[in-house]
Amino acid sequence: MTVETLPKTFDPAEAEPRIAAMWEEANAFAAGANARPGAESFCIVIPPPNVTGSLHIGHALNNTLQDVLIRWKRMQGFDVLWQPGLDHAGIATQMVVERELAKTNQRRTDFTREDFAAKVWEWKAQSGGTIVGQLKRLGASCDWSRERFTMDEGLSAAVLKVFVTLYEKGLIYRGKRLVNWDPKFETAISDLEVENIEVDGHMWHFKYPLAGGETYEYVEKDAEGNVTLRETRDYISIATTRPETMLGDGAVAVHPSDERYAPIVGKLCEIPVGPKEHRRLIPIITDEYPDPTFGSGAVKITGAHDFNDYGVAKRNGIPCYRLMDTKAALRADGAPYAEEAAKAQRFVEGAAFTEAEIDAINLVPDEYRGLDRFEARKRVVAAITEEGLAVMMADEEGNPIPLVEKKKIMQPFGDRSKVVIEPMLTDQWFVDAAALAKAATEAVKDGRTRFAPEAWEKTYFHWMENIEPWCISRQLWWGHQIPVWYDANGEMYCAMTEAEASEKAGGKPLTRDPDVLDTWFSSALWPFSTLGWPEETPELARYYKTDVLVTGNDIIFFWVARMMMMGLEFLGEVPFHTVYINSIVTDAKGKKMSKSVGNVIDPLDLIDRYGADAVRFTLASQEAQGRRQLRLGEQAVEAGRNFVTKLWNAARFAEMNGAKGGDAFDPAAPLLPLNRWIVGETAKTRMAVDRALTELRFNDAANALHAHTWRIFCDWYVEFSKPLFAGGGAAAAETRAAMGWALDQILLMLHPITPFVTEALWGERAKPLVHGDWPAYGAELIDEAAAAEIDWTIRLIEEIRSVRSEMGVNPGAKLPLHVLEAEPAARARLDANAALIARLARIEGMADGPAAGAATIALPGAVLALPLAGVIDVAAERARLSKAAQKAEKEIGGLKAKLSNEKFLAAAPEEVVEEQRERLEAAAAEAAKLSAALARLDAIG
């Protein structure tokens, strides 16, 4: 479409697919497209979305920001690569395919592992990667010909190479540790795949009797040291939200400073559940973990089913007894309970057991074996209560009842399975992350990689300096299978292929480890595996290290840190020099988007309704570096659409007046102050946009372009040009050329943010706008004299308009303007622009000298007056403004009181507090405006 045939409105639904097809046909996004000879490289690797995924608002923000940088650098002539790809998403993909099989009454276990994997590949070919098409709708200008997949042949080779190398270095090993266990999928999962949700729960209080009926004096004191309770006890009281795990307790812990329990530290107490004749005794120990001020101050230690307890157990040599099977039912294996409890008791008495022997012990009483964990909970509570070992309290009528607190608790759920996650002690594969973290930590400390905002470096350092072994194995069928084989004796052989493993084993029969690798393992290699590593490809040499990584704060540890580790370990270089952490998108009130709350915003719906450019511009203009939240409401996207419409209408005005883009125009040569002014304003904007994008301040870039396009070009330059066009001659010809040039510069600078509408307005030229030449001019084009004249004139018109609006002047009324004082320069500006001032401010004639009942306007070098006596009802306006001012002051007072209330600040959600601060700021601005208007009225009389 050419500029000469612009329709009245821009239709995104028609234009976007047509323009996208043009870009694709031209191979416009290919690596190196539009690069200058000898250009520097600029590379971004896309955070690979799940192959099962669909575009959500976080994706839309993240990919818009990447695309802005990519298009900007491509237009600057850099050798650009935006590397796309998808993650195989182990659990999510397996779940999707199993759901598809269930439609025909089939299950995964109806197939061999190989046949099931074939089903997954079949699904991927037909339905996987929907998000790629959605990213294209957003305008993402990746080199789609280079799309990679974390399970493709090349990346699989990289995964095997890394695993075998780290194994041979002793940095990968198999061990037993506590992990998040998903009972539905029967696999370990990462912390990122766990959703901690507040639910209604209970806290039960139970008595653990001291061994042999021993007693002690229990004393409680207040903060001043006064005794508030003294009694003889033969038990220690504990509280728990998970009574079923009591069966696996290895100890009871109290804080070393807790004087209440000092007499019984080192003694034994009895777990109050199970056959009475086989009750286990466990030691009372001290550890820094228990909080003396919370509950009874005593904590049961179940090392195999709680992460905090696991740490206590490891520090104190307490055994960790596993109670559940892979489905989170209580174990049904092993010898009868009497025998198993006796084994555990021998450990307390000093016998030595291996870790494997302890794990084999099943301490579930016979009557509970095989029960679901929640059913077991009910039975354990009932049994303890019936035996009289529940701590009692008085009800409202004074009758004794068990002490059970109803309270909100944070419970972990699988983000895919939606079932309660069980901390579980299992055999898994681990990476020695602490060893790899050293170099990755130093690389950020010495500045080879920086975070923006810089504050996120503290988060990175905290995680890296307190890092735990990285669990990389999953009990799934879809993923990179662990390249380790076992012989009949359990000896391990790690190799790239089964043939190599067999050779290492001397030809013995081998069985491969059934586990697959965590998807984060393959994703950790993304910056170099996608470029062809372990092969020494030209792309690897050209684009690694990459430049900017744009991602969310929730995966700094899970992905960013691990890419840093792997890049330094295998290429000796950081994978990127900058990590930009984008905001979290919330709704307009600052609330996290949630399907259950019903406030989720679908970016595809927004694109359908407002167009991709409106969505992109809205996201970019609100993405402020350092702000944790980006509040998105539909009104903001409507404003983005209005901006696109404003640009389109300005282009149509230029077209109707013969101002064509692409015409020869020397921006250093215009004679008219108005055209020298628009050239200078364009240069200022170019410098501001480049500075903002260099500093990754996307909102500053977008807002500078918005201000220049809407206010400078559309509101003022277009209006000021109308009389010049009407007058014809050389002035009109120069203005046509200047306007065409200025509009072209807007299209060039806006293109990275709003690619579709700008490409549509660019039209058919020697090369598409996506390959347009980014402007490089600057301060040399700024004419200070022209800027001073036009800015002064604009300010005068705005001041007159403001007075008319504040004073309630009829919009159609024309008023005279009196010049009270005017220096020669100001007088010259008034004379040169009198026609513009008269038309745009609705002024009828200028006169020197004072005027009665006038509102004064002070500008540099001049004082002017707008006579209002007889034009407005001063008394009525004063009453109206006074009433509005009183209302504003009342609102300010209420908001200040609320924001100075410590209780409100402590209890209110962050988004509510922020909303109140914004309201206060708006009310204060309105009050200042009303005060100025009242002052003008007072001057009138």
Side-chain angles (χ1 to χ4, degrees):
M1 181 177 294
T2 62
V3 173
E4 289 81 3
T5 59
L6 286 179
K8 289 185 178 180
T9 58
F10 176 61
D11 181 4
E14 179 279 328
E16 290 173 4
R18 173 174 51 79
I19 292 169
M22 180 271 288
W23 287 332
E24 187 169 350
E25 184 178 348
N27 202 20
F29 308 150
N34 201 49
R36 297 186 305 264
E40 293 179 43
S41 67
F42 183 84
C43 180
I44 291 178
V45 290
I46 197 170
N50 288 352
V51 68
T52 60
S54 60
L55 192 73
H56 59 61
I57 199 66
H59 287 135
L61 171 63
N62 178 266
N63 286 279
T64 292
L65 302 182
Q66 292 175 77
D67 196 46
V68 168
L69 296 176
I70 286 292
R71 288 179 183 269
W72 173 52
K73 288 296 183 181
R74 188 184 289 123
M75 294 172 76
Q76 286 184 323
F78 280 71
D79 180 355
V80 169
L81 168 61
W82 188 7
Q83 175 62 54
L86 295 167
D87 189 276
H88 63 278
I91 290 179
T93 304
Q94 184 163 312
M95 181 181 72
V96 167
V97 175
E98 289 195 64
R99 189 185 297 145
E100 290 296 311
L101 291 173
K103 293 177 181 178
T104 55
N105 296 317
Q106 293 178 299
R107 296 186 301 175
R108 168 171 54 96
T109 50
D110 294 336
F111 301 86
T112 64
R113 182 178 184 134
E114 292 72 20
D115 288 343
F116 178 77
K119 288 284 185 185
V120 179
W121 281 107
E122 181 182 317
W123 170 85
K124 179 187 180 292
Q126 295 176 354
S127 306
T130 298
I131 195 171
V132 169
Q134 295 169 339
L135 287 169
K136 290 180 179 180
R137 284 201 62 195
L138 185 68
S141 62
C142 300
D143 183 350
W144 297 108
S145 68
R146 290 185 51 85
E147 184 182 329
R148 302 303 300 269
F149 181 53
T150 49
M151 286 284 287
D152 71 29
E153 187 174 343
L155 269 66
S156 294
V159 166
L160 290 172
K161 175 77 172 176
V162 167
F163 186 99
V164 172
T165 302
L166 293 179
Y167 178 89
E168 291 174 347
K169 288 184 174 183
L171 295 174
I172 284 181
Y173 60 91
R174 187 164 174 79
K176 189 182 294 292
R177 290 182 63 90
L178 204 63
V179 298
N180 296 306
W181 187 263
D182 189 313
K184 179 176 179 179
F185 293 119
E186 298 182 71
T187 182
I189 61 174
S190 71
D191 288 343
L192 196 64
E193 294 160 314
V194 177
E195 293 180 316
N196 288 296
I197 301 173
E198 188 176 69
V199 299
D200 293 326
H202 296 83
M203 178 81 80
W204 288 270
H205 294 254
F206 298 129
K207 299 177 180 179
Y208 280 45
L210 297 182
E214 191 168 349
T215 62
Y216 69 107
E217 188 175 51
Y218 176 83
V219 179
E220 288 186 1
K221 298 178 182 179
D222 61 19
E224 286 73 36
N226 302 310
V227 174
T228 58
L229 174 66
R230 184 189 300 272
E231 65 182 15
T232 300
R233 288 186 175 179
D234 61 357
Y235 65 90
I236 185 169
S237 171
I238 63 94
T240 180
T241 59
R242 302 167 66 211
E244 70 279 8
T245 64
M246 294 168 65
L247 302 168
D249 287 353
V252 170
V254 298
H255 196 273
S257 65
D258 198 332
E259 297 178 357
R260 294 172 297 175
Y261 302 114
I264 55 172
V265 168
K267 297 185 180 298
L268 301 178
C269 62
E270 182 182 281
I271 298 175
V273 67
K276 184 68 176 174
E277 64 274 20
H278 302 299
R279 291 278 167 87
R280 288 195 301 119
L281 297 177
I282 55 176
I284 299 170
I285 65 171
T286 59
D287 191 89
E288 295 293 327
Y289 167 63
D291 179 356
T293 65
F294 181 77
S296 69
V299 180
K300 61 188 247 11
I301 303 302
T302 317
H305 292 278
D306 182 275
F307 286 99
N308 290 317
D309 292 4
Y310 182 72
V312 176
K314 286 298 179 184
R315 287 192 294 272
N316 294 279
I318 301 300
C320 298
Y321 299 113
R322 183 172 52 87
L323 298 172
M324 299 178 195
D325 63 19
T326 58
K327 294 182 183 294
L330 298 196
R331 287 172 57 181
D333 62 311
Y337 178 74
E339 296 179 26
E340 300 286 56
K343 293 177 188 175
Q345 198 59 49
R346 288 199 295 274
F347 183 92
V348 174
E349 294 166 357
F353 285 86
T354 65
E355 188 178 79
E357 288 173 327
I358 289 174
D359 186 66
I361 295 174
N362 181 0
L363 292 178
V364 178
D366 301 327
E367 64 269 30
Y368 299 143
R369 293 189 176 189
L371 291 178
D372 173 79
R373 54 184 162 164
F374 300 118
E375 176 60 27
R377 175 179 299 175
K378 295 177 184 176
R379 298 201 190 182
V380 166
V381 170
I384 296 174
T385 304
E386 184 178 351
E387 193 174 330
L389 291 175
V391 176
M392 304 301 284
M393 61 176 287
D395 65 11
E396 293 179 356
E397 298 176 355
N399 299 314
I401 59 171
L403 175 55
V404 182
E405 299 176 66
K406 292 182 178 180
K407 59 182 296 181
K408 296 288 187 181
I409 60 172
M410 296 302 295
Q411 195 157 59
F413 289 82
D415 65 345
R416 299 287 178 180
S417 66
K418 307 304 180 186
V419 302
V420 176
I421 296 304
E422 186 66 40
M424 189 84 78
L425 196 61
T426 64
D427 289 307
Q428 302 288 341
W429 286 94
F430 295 92
V431 171
D432 184 353
L436 295 176
K438 294 176 182 176
T441 303
E442 286 304 312
V444 175
K445 286 184 175 179
D446 64 26
R448 279 175 285 162
T449 294
R450 72 180 186 92
F451 279 77
E454 187 179 354
W456 286 111
E457 291 182 6
K458 293 181 180 178
T459 301
Y460 177 82
F461 291 140
H462 174 75
W463 279 334
M464 297 296 267
E465 291 165 1
N466 296 277
I467 201 165
E468 294 287 333
W470 169 18
C471 177
I472 57 172
S473 49
R474 299 291 182 265
Q475 291 64 52
L476 302 171
W477 281 10
W478 173 242
H480 296 285
Q481 194 169 350
I482 301 284
V484 171
W485 286 260
Y486 302 89
D487 63 20
N489 296 321
E491 288 293 320
M492 292 188 292
Y493 305 91
C494 180
M496 295 285 289
T497 65
E498 185 171 3
E500 289 181 20
S502 180
E503 184 178 348
K504 289 182 177 181
K508 289 185 285 188
L510 299 177
T511 302
R512 189 169 185 175
D513 193 302
D515 289 355
V516 299
L517 287 165
D518 169 24
T519 55
W520 294 107
F521 190 90
S522 48
S523 295
L525 320 182
W526 192 248
F528 54 90
S529 63
T530 52
L531 299 176
W533 188 92
E535 300 298 323
E536 294 292 334
T537 64
E539 292 87 351
L540 186 66
R542 180 67 177 147
Y543 296 112
Y544 191 90
K545 63 183 173 185
T546 70
D547 289 86
V548 180
L549 177 76
V550 183
T551 190
N553 69 72
D554 55 337
I555 53 175
I556 291 175
F557 177 66
F558 290 96
W559 192 43
V560 178
R562 293 170 188 185
M563 284 188 287
M564 291 285 288
M565 294 178 196
M566 294 302 190
L568 287 162
E569 177 69 18
F570 287 93
L571 281 91
E573 175 65 279
V574 294
F576 24 71
H577 61 67
T578 300
V579 179
Y580 181 84
I581 303 299
N582 59 250
S583 306
I584 296 173
V585 186
T586 67
D587 69 11
K589 294 183 178 180
K591 292 184 178 179
K592 182 179 179 181
M593 291 188 187
S594 164
K595 290 182 180 179
S596 61
V597 174
N599 63 345
V600 172
I601 297 176
D602 186 338
L604 296 171
D605 287 346
L606 295 178
I607 291 172
D608 286 340
R609 297 171 64 185
Y610 302 106
D613 291 317
V615 174
R616 290 169 60 110
F617 188 85
T618 303
L619 292 170
S621 64
Q622 296 193 32
E623 171 59 18
Q625 187 181 136
R627 187 184 298 161
R628 296 290 181 96
Q629 291 184 347
L630 186 159
R631 297 186 181 189
L632 183 66
E634 197 162 315
Q635 285 185 332
V637 186
E638 287 178 4
R641 190 264 315 276
N642 294 342
F643 175 67
V644 170
T645 300
K646 188 81 170 179
L647 173 64
W648 188 265
N649 290 340
R652 291 190 72 246
F653 173 84
E655 173 198 51
M656 289 186 290
N657 286 279
K660 298 181 180 179
D663 286 353
F665 174 75
D666 181 359
L671 301 175
L672 298 175
L674 177 65
N675 293 328
R676 295 201 301 274
W677 171 76
I678 194 62
V679 166
E681 290 298 316
T682 302
K684 292 175 187 175
T685 302
R686 199 286 302 166
M687 292 188 290
V689 170
D690 271 347
R691 182 167 56 252
L693 291 180
T694 299
E695 296 172 355
L696 302 176
R697 297 188 179 278
F698 297 94
N699 65 317
D700 288 347
N703 292 331
L705 286 165
H706 185 281
H708 178 73
T709 303
W710 193 298
R711 182 177 181 274
I712 299 299
F713 186 87
C714 298
D715 282 356
W716 294 112
Y717 185 58
V718 164
E719 289 301 323
F720 280 24
S721 71
K722 288 177 180 178
L724 295 174
F725 286 143
E734 180 186 283
T735 304
R736 287 189 187 95
M739 182 171 284
W741 176 86
L743 181 59
D744 270 2
Q745 306 314 299
I746 287 173
L747 298 181
L748 285 162
M749 290 187 285
L750 268 175
H751 179 76
I753 302 176
T754 56
F756 292 105
V757 67
T758 51
E759 189 74 80
L761 290 171
W762 189 255
E764 296 176 7
R765 307 195 194 184
K767 59 181 182 179
L769 181 57
V770 68
H771 290 165
D773 296 324
W774 188 263
Y777 46 73
E780 74 279 1
L781 294 184
I782 300 173
D783 185 318
E784 298 293 351
E789 176 180 334
I790 302 301
D791 288 343
W792 189 93
T793 304
I794 289 172
R795 181 174 170 185
L796 173 58
I797 294 169
E798 288 179 330
E799 287 285 343
I800 294 171
R801 288 175 171 176
S802 179
V803 170
R804 293 173 63 106
S805 174
E806 290 171 1
M807 299 296 104
V809 176
N810 187 318
K814 291 188 176 182
L815 304 176
L817 182 66
H818 284 246
V819 181
L820 306 182
E821 300 174 17
E823 295 176 359
R827 173 67 70 176
R829 292 166 184 166
L830 280 169
D831 292 343
N833 297 286
L836 283 171
I837 295 167
R839 186 166 67 87
L840 297 177
R842 301 200 66 77
I843 293 299
E844 189 172 50
M846 291 189 194
D848 289 333
T856 58
I857 298 171
L859 272 77
V863 180
L864 304 106
L866 203 62
L868 297 177
V871 177
I872 63 171
D873 184 333
V874 175
E877 282 303 309
R878 180 177 286 111
R880 180 181 67 82
L881 293 170
S882 296
K883 184 177 180 180
Q886 289 170 3
K887 182 180 178 182
E889 289 298 335
K890 183 178 180 181
E891 183 179 11
I892 289 171
L895 290 168
K896 283 184 175 179
K898 184 178 286 186
L899 289 169
S900 62
N901 186 326
E902 294 297 331
K903 290 183 179 180
F904 168 75
L905 295 176
E910 182 181 345
E911 62 268 17
V912 172
V913 175
E914 183 62 26
E915 181 183 2
Q916 299 302 302
R917 289 188 177 126
E918 290 172 0
R919 285 181 58 192
L920 176 60
E921 186 177 337
E926 178 66 14
K929 182 179 175 182
L930 292 167
S931 177
L934 283 166
R936 289 187 195 276
L937 277 179
D938 291 339
I940 293 171

